[in-house]
Amino acid sequence: MSSAKATLDDTDRRIVVATQAGLPTVARPYHALAEQLQLPPDEVMQRIAGLLERGVIRRIGAVPNHYAIGYTANGMSVWDIDDAQVDAVGEYVGSLEAVTHCYRRPRRAPHWPYNLFAMVHGHSRDEVGSQVNAIAALIETRFPGACRARDILYSTRILKKTGLRIAG
């Protein structure tokens, strides 16, 4: 972030601060943001595009409340994947429609052998389990022997999700 921080001028910083909790939920969010910041809408859109291009902003997307839309079974599938193949397997698993996010984490031997995590949402635990079984079959087909063990950890409550914030 240090190189990205060096490239932020005052206007870029104001845009980041104004959007870090989300865009306005209106028909024209960039125009509403421009009005709030007292900037022309075209400038706001160009600057946001530049921030994305430079990697200051990684992505713009919706973050749904899965419970509110009926996905009440939320399972973090955890996988013990051969270290030599974990990056390739993770990239593949992360591209699957059933997976909302996927990431690699260090093992904590001897009690925690898992090094790949992939979130799967469903209407029931049976649905999540079926999706994870399908993912396991796909992994075995594409990367034979790469997966040594797996499990599913189900959410029991909703925690407020927030990303990194910078001070205004």
Side-chain angles (χ1 to χ4, degrees):
M1 175 79 177
S2 59
S3 63
K5 184 178 180 181
T7 64
L8 287 181
D9 65 18
D10 182 57
T11 302
D12 285 343
R13 183 177 178 79
R14 287 176 48 225
I15 290 170
V16 169
V17 169
T19 60
Q20 63 189 0
L23 290 170
T25 52
V26 297
R28 299 179 74 174
Y30 298 109
H31 287 73
L33 182 62
E35 186 176 322
Q36 173 191 335
L37 296 171
Q38 298 180 338
L39 296 169
D42 287 345
E43 180 179 353
V44 169
M45 290 184 271
Q46 288 172 352
R47 284 179 174 268
I48 288 175
L51 292 167
L52 281 163
E53 191 175 296
R54 295 192 323 261
V56 175
I57 297 173
R58 285 187 286 163
R59 68 182 175 278
I60 296 174
V63 180
N65 176 335
H66 293 93
Y67 287 91
I69 58 175
Y71 291 94
T72 57
N74 304 295
M76 178 62 74
S77 61
V78 292
W79 307 80
D80 176 8
I81 302 293
D82 176 63
D83 287 331
Q85 297 183 33
V86 69
D87 290 336
V89 173
E91 187 172 325
Y92 175 68
V93 170
S95 73
L96 298 174
E97 188 175 325
V99 175
T100 58
H101 52 281
C102 182
Y103 49 92
R104 181 181 185 178
R105 289 288 184 260
R107 305 171 194 280
R108 297 291 183 227
H111 304 292
W112 190 256
Y114 307 109
N115 60 343
L116 186 69
F117 296 62
M119 192 65 176
V120 177
H121 302 280
H123 295 95
S124 69
R125 286 186 177 204
D126 286 343
E127 181 182 345
V128 171
S130 293
Q131 290 176 351
V132 171
N133 287 339
I135 293 167
L138 291 168
I139 291 171
E140 186 56 32
T141 299
R142 190 163 179 137
F143 305 93
C147 180
R148 298 183 287 238
R150 63 185 164 96
D151 203 351
I152 305 172
L153 310 173
Y154 289 97
S155 300
T156 57
R157 61 189 171 122
I158 300 174
L159 301 174
K160 180 166 176 56
K161 296 186 275 185
T162 59
L164 177 66
R165 303 284 192 245
I166 62 173

